Amino acid sequence: MASEPLFSVVIPTYNRAKLIGKTLNTVFAQSYPRYEVIVVDNCSTDDTDAVLQPLVAAGKIRYIKHDRNYERARSRNTGMESARGDWVTFLDSDDFMYPHNLRDAAAHIDSLGPERAKFFHNKYELVDPEGRVLHRYKLMSLDDHRKAITEGNFFSCIGTFIHKDIYQRFRFDIDPALTGSEDWEFWLRVSAEFTPTRIEHVNSAIVQHGGRTMARVDLPALRKRLALVREKILASPACANAYAPYMHRFDVSSRLFMASVANSGHLFKDALGLMAEAVRLDPRVMSWGRFWRALRIAVLRVDMGS
């Protein structure tokens, strides 16, 4: 391998004392050795300090504790500001990094060269706490990455790598009204200027557990949040220019996303109304697989799969 980049793994956390140890162990088990781990704690009130201090003392992690809970956007910014790596990657404190994640990332950079691999990601899946696969995600094609990202945040904040030329310039928007969609807004801005590539391996896992379950679906708040994402895109000259051909698609996709969230909260009538909005915006949405999946769930009230 011509180059051996240093990776900074940024892990925001809040009250995940019972989960973060397992997450960190998946990083420590990496087959590639050149990495640093930066844990940014949003002033946890559980035993997170006690769990992490032995790892700090052993030099296995760098630990930064905020004076209050600023949410993940600020924590990721703090991590990027403290990073020393050539590339940063993000990992939530309840998710998993598979053993060859960083090795494959280094090989990807070596294969494409640093200029073409400034922004890339790997595939990921949904698992239960024991690692059993619950769902394998079908990710959008990168043939037209700007079109793809306006249809939804398939990057999430797992398995995505950004070069220091990016992470030293870009920051997550800390507007509280954006919380829950701040990562999508971030990747929209990055994607306006940089072309992503993909590692075709499942190297990361989102862990589904009780603490992650959505207790209450607030559709009016979600609608306002997505409208704010749209507003911020159009307020940025770089984004407004890059996404001008795709804003109609953004609007349609936003309705489908809200319908999916409504279905998850068993608000099936609301889901049907949102799908009707999507059809009024663009009847061609009825040819989308996502539309028919959401419709099946709303009508049959059961998820029959993709």
Side-chain angles (χ1 to χ4, degrees):
M1 187 176 294
S3 62
E4 293 187 344
L6 173 68
F7 296 106
S8 296
V9 183
V10 173
I11 303 177
T13 192
Y14 178 70
N15 285 352
R16 291 285 192 241
K18 294 181 179 179
L19 299 171
I20 193 170
K22 197 168 185 178
T23 294
L24 286 168
N25 284 337
T26 71
V27 182
F28 300 149
Q30 289 300 296
S31 58
Y32 181 86
R34 296 203 71 227
Y35 64 86
E36 64 170 0
V37 180
I38 304 168
V39 178
V40 183
D41 182 8
N42 268 320
C43 201
S44 292
T45 58
D46 62 2
D47 295 329
T48 296
D49 264 338
V51 169
L52 296 182
Q53 283 307 323
L55 300 174
V56 175
K60 300 188 77 170
I61 68 170
R62 291 164 58 201
Y63 180 42
I64 302 168
K65 186 166 184 175
H66 283 156
D67 59 348
R68 61 185 177 89
N69 186 359
Y70 293 104
E71 295 291 349
R72 288 174 297 182
R74 178 75 68 89
S75 294
R76 289 174 181 141
N77 290 345
T78 296
M80 288 191 287
E81 288 159 9
S82 303
R84 301 168 184 157
D86 303 297
W87 273 260
V88 153
T89 188
F90 303 103
L91 183 67
D92 282 353
S93 58
D94 49 0
D95 291 336
F96 297 159
M97 180 181 283
Y98 290 161
H100 298 315
N101 184 304
L102 300 182
R103 183 201 68 178
D104 286 354
H108 188 73
I109 294 164
D110 188 54
S111 173
L112 295 183
E115 285 302 313
R116 288 186 59 207
K118 284 189 174 182
F119 173 28
F120 63 92
H121 77 136
N122 56 234
K123 293 182 176 181
Y124 53 90
E125 60 193 7
L126 183 70
V127 303
D128 68 13
E130 284 69 49
R132 293 184 290 259
V133 177
L134 302 174
H135 182 70
R136 296 190 186 276
Y137 295 99
K138 295 179 181 178
L139 302 183
M140 302 293 294
S141 167
L142 294 180
D143 288 346
D144 186 340
H145 72 278
R146 291 172 177 167
K147 173 184 174 183
I149 192 63
T150 56
E151 292 186 18
N153 181 23
F154 60 90
F155 290 120
S156 188
C157 249
I158 186 168
T160 306
F161 295 77
I162 50 176
H163 187 265
K164 59 186 175 183
D165 287 351
I166 299 176
Y167 81 71
Q168 289 176 352
R169 275 186 53 208
F170 286 80
R171 290 291 178 267
F172 287 87
D173 192 316
I174 61 172
D175 185 342
L178 202 60
T179 299
S181 297
E182 76 286 344
D183 51 347
W184 190 15
E185 193 270 345
F186 179 82
W187 297 124
L188 281 159
R189 283 187 283 120
V190 173
S191 296
E193 297 188 39
F194 293 88
T195 300
T197 55
R198 178 177 293 156
I199 297 171
E200 296 294 338
H201 298 152
V202 176
N203 281 343
S204 309
I206 297 172
V207 181
Q208 180 62 54
H209 57 83
R212 205 166 211 150
T213 302
M214 189 179 299
R216 186 173 69 91
V217 173
D218 188 341
L219 289 177
L222 177 58
R223 187 184 288 270
K224 287 181 181 179
R225 198 169 79 215
L226 295 177
L228 182 58
V229 173
R230 189 185 200 282
E231 178 184 318
K232 287 178 180 287
I233 293 171
L234 296 178
S236 160
C239 289
N241 182 61
Y243 297 117
Y246 309 115
M247 290 312 299
H248 184 68
R249 204 168 185 92
F250 174 91
D251 294 335
V252 173
S253 294
S254 293
R255 269 62 175 190
L256 287 188
F257 175 69
M258 286 190 283
S260 174
V261 171
N263 277 333
S264 72
H266 297 169
L267 301 175
F268 303 115
K269 184 177 180 180
D270 292 292
L272 290 170
L274 287 160
M275 283 183 280
E277 283 187 41
V279 171
R280 285 195 293 271
L281 284 170
D282 190 346
R284 292 172 297 181
V285 73
M286 289 189 289
S287 68
W288 297 12
R290 288 188 295 147
F291 177 87
W292 288 104
R293 182 184 178 199
L295 185 62
R296 286 199 307 268
I297 296 170
V299 172
L300 300 176
R301 304 192 175 188
V302 60
D303 188 350
M304 299 174 64
S306 307

